[in-house]
Amino acid sequence: MRRIKNVKKLTNNPYLNLYELQATGRSGGEFPYYVASRRKNEGQIKAVTKDNRADGVILYGVYGEARDRVVLIRQYRYPIGDYVYEFPAGLVEQGEDLCAAGIREMKEETGLAFTPVPAGAFSRPFFTTAGLTDESCAMLFGYCEGIPTSAGQEDTEDIQVILADREECRRILEEEKVALMCAYMLMHFISSPEEPFRFLNAD
């Protein structure tokens, strides 16, 4: 049974739009379903194309000679009207390689140089909130160096760079607002006092 019969674009914004799907339930009844997407038109949304190209990258970077700190940002997010702890992240530009996007976004948001490490299937695109949007992001892993700065941030961005050790990560998880993907990976970081990316090479 065909679950989506029609797609209608409801808004015309630069980075994110709302689409109405004419959906069919298990018993055959039809209903509208609303989806946010970064795709430009009805024919490009993933419910139609089934093409899961990454819309963005999320950057899990460790810092310092001992690799004992993780690079976080504390960013003001308008949908919640407050600051939230996240990993540096951003959109992939048209035709841009994922690693190039990660290096660019880390530099823009934090001022740090980012050296990705091979991650295989761990860096393929995964969906962020599939009940709300068709957005998917690839997580890149790597090492960071340099001096944090806000010089590359846009005027619309309110970002503080945080170089957090494991004790601070634990405090953040217990006390602060944290993005879900970031929270899961901080739990991993806290529980991996050895090389934090060892799991990428596990047999």
Side-chain angles (χ1 to χ4, degrees):
M1 177 176 61
R2 187 179 175 192
R3 301 296 295 268
I4 299 171
K5 293 188 175 181
N6 190 43
V7 180
K8 180 181 179 182
K9 188 178 183 183
L10 300 180
T11 60
N12 190 29
N13 300 313
Y15 300 109
L16 185 68
N17 283 287
L18 184 64
Y19 292 83
E20 180 181 320
L21 310 183
Q22 183 183 358
T24 304
R26 288 181 299 154
S27 62
E30 295 183 1
F31 60 96
Y33 197 100
Y34 299 95
V35 177
S37 179
R38 297 192 182 278
R39 302 299 170 167
K40 301 299 184 184
N41 59 57
E42 294 90 338
Q44 294 179 348
I45 69 169
K46 294 174 186 177
V48 173
T49 67
K50 311 298 184 187
D51 178 18
N52 185 23
R53 283 175 294 153
D55 298 286
V57 288
I58 301 173
L59 309 171
Y60 180 180
V62 295
Y63 184 89
E65 289 187 12
R67 298 173 177 173
D68 59 350
R69 286 177 284 174
V70 64
V71 179
L72 303 175
I73 57 173
R74 180 177 180 266
Q75 181 166 199
Y76 186 86
R77 288 297 196 179
Y78 295 94
I80 64 171
D82 204 350
Y83 290 89
V84 64
Y85 283 79
E86 305 173 294
F87 283 126
L91 297 178
V92 179
E93 296 178 355
Q94 184 70 31
E96 188 176 31
D97 174 80
L98 293 179
C99 286
I103 292 168
R104 174 182 55 77
E105 285 291 346
M106 182 68 80
K107 191 69 173 179
E108 291 175 359
E109 292 195 349
T110 72
L112 299 174
F114 179 65
T115 303
V117 299
F122 290 103
S123 283
R124 71 185 185 91
F126 294 102
F127 291 101
T128 56
T129 313
L132 178 67
T133 175
D134 66 353
E135 180 185 62
S136 63
C137 291
M139 177 163 275
L140 303 183
F141 306 83
Y143 302 110
C144 294
E145 60 183 1
I147 305 299
T149 175
S150 60
Q153 296 173 15
E154 297 178 8
D155 185 61
T156 56
E157 296 177 315
D158 183 354
I159 297 173
Q160 301 163 10
V161 183
I162 310 292
L163 303 177
D165 61 17
R166 288 176 173 83
E167 182 178 348
E168 176 63 3
C169 289
R170 187 178 300 277
R171 186 201 68 80
I172 289 168
L173 285 172
E174 292 175 349
E175 300 178 7
E176 304 287 354
K177 293 181 172 69
V178 186
L180 182 62
M181 178 64 74
C182 180
Y184 283 143
M185 297 312 292
L186 289 185
M187 294 174 201
H188 170 80
F189 181 71
I190 290 169
S191 64
S192 303
E194 70 285 351
E195 164 59 54
F197 298 147
R198 181 177 294 177
F199 73 98
L200 296 176
N201 300 313
D203 293 331

